Amino acid sequence: MAGYGAAVHTGGVGSGDTVAVIGCGGVGNAAIAGASAAGARRVIAVDLDDRKLDAATRFGATDTVNSRGTDPVEAVRALTGGHGADVVIDAVGRPETYHQAFSMRDLAGTLVQVGVPEPDMRIELPLLDLFARGGALKSSWYGDCLPSRDFPVLIDRYLSGRLDLDGFVTETIALDEVESAFDAMRDGRVLRSVVVL
């Protein structure tokens, strides 16, 4: 729900919008699925890992940018006619990705931070840039979800084949495999591992 809600609720993605999502793990790909479901015209996935970018296309990304060798801000601007995206979702939560998200927005665009930062992380932006670019800077805690409102919608989308929840489950594991599952997630080998008892 965190990524899906970051696009649909916090970001307010609507029909015809352009969206960029930085970080294509489970939360980022859920944001991609949410943006696609909300009618975004273009959904740009940004990540360092081609495996994650391949997964992003299955969830609705129309374009992918591997930021390991490409400036992601310039790439998103090029894909949006030089304007930047209407909504940019930072699913990583690091100062570097926040700066990128801030800079790849269209004027008056919305930046949504759903990636959780470490407590000691800091961000510094020129105050004039904050003023001149306009738009909105939002944080999204659990996708601004209301379970009583949102879970029935997601269940309906899943049951009708409009939301591929199964695609988020990369592997099922036993309880004693949890530590290795965290390693696999950190290494980018899986989107989600589900414990089966």
Side-chain angles (χ1 to χ4, degrees):
M1 187 66 230
Y4 190 94
V8 174
H9 299 306
T10 317
V13 173
S15 181
D17 282 346
T18 56
V19 179
V21 177
I22 303 174
C24 298
V27 173
N29 278 321
I32 289 167
S36 181
R41 154 175 72 84
R42 176 165 249 165
V43 182
I44 305 164
V46 179
D47 203 284
L48 299 167
D49 187 327
D50 285 330
R51 295 171 297 183
K52 290 184 178 180
L53 292 170
D54 288 341
T57 61
R58 293 194 311 270
F59 291 107
T62 58
D63 303 274
T64 61
V65 173
N66 187 321
S67 57
R68 186 171 301 282
T70 302
D71 180 333
V73 174
E74 292 305 316
V76 168
R77 289 198 166 283
L79 289 165
T80 56
H83 302 291
D86 298 310
V87 179
V88 181
I89 299 167
D90 176 6
V92 178
R94 297 190 50 79
E96 308 91 311
T97 55
Y98 193 91
H99 273 281
Q100 291 169 351
F102 180 83
S103 299
M104 66 178 60
R105 292 179 307 143
D106 191 359
L107 289 177
T110 300
L111 184 164
V112 177
Q113 179 187 346
V114 67
V116 180
E118 297 291 328
D120 61 337
M121 290 179 172
R122 299 285 182 266
I123 187 80
E124 184 176 320
L125 291 167
L127 192 55
L128 183 60
D129 287 355
L130 287 171
F131 172 77
R133 292 190 61 83
L137 308 176
K138 299 181 174 186
S139 59
S140 182
W141 184 255
Y142 198 60
D144 292 324
C145 170
L146 295 173
S148 60
R149 172 194 68 196
D150 298 320
F151 286 3
V153 172
L154 294 177
I155 291 167
D156 178 62
R157 287 188 177 278
Y158 172 71
L159 293 175
S160 66
R162 294 177 291 150
L163 179 61
D164 179 19
L165 291 179
D166 297 324
F168 286 95
V169 180
T170 309
E171 64 180 1
T172 56
I173 60 169
L175 191 55
D176 62 353
E177 296 174 296
V178 168
E179 288 302 319
S180 62
F182 276 114
D183 292 338
M185 186 174 62
R186 276 189 291 271
D187 293 343
R189 292 179 275 140
V190 299
L191 287 180
R192 287 289 182 258
S193 301
V194 174
V195 176
V196 177
L197 301 176

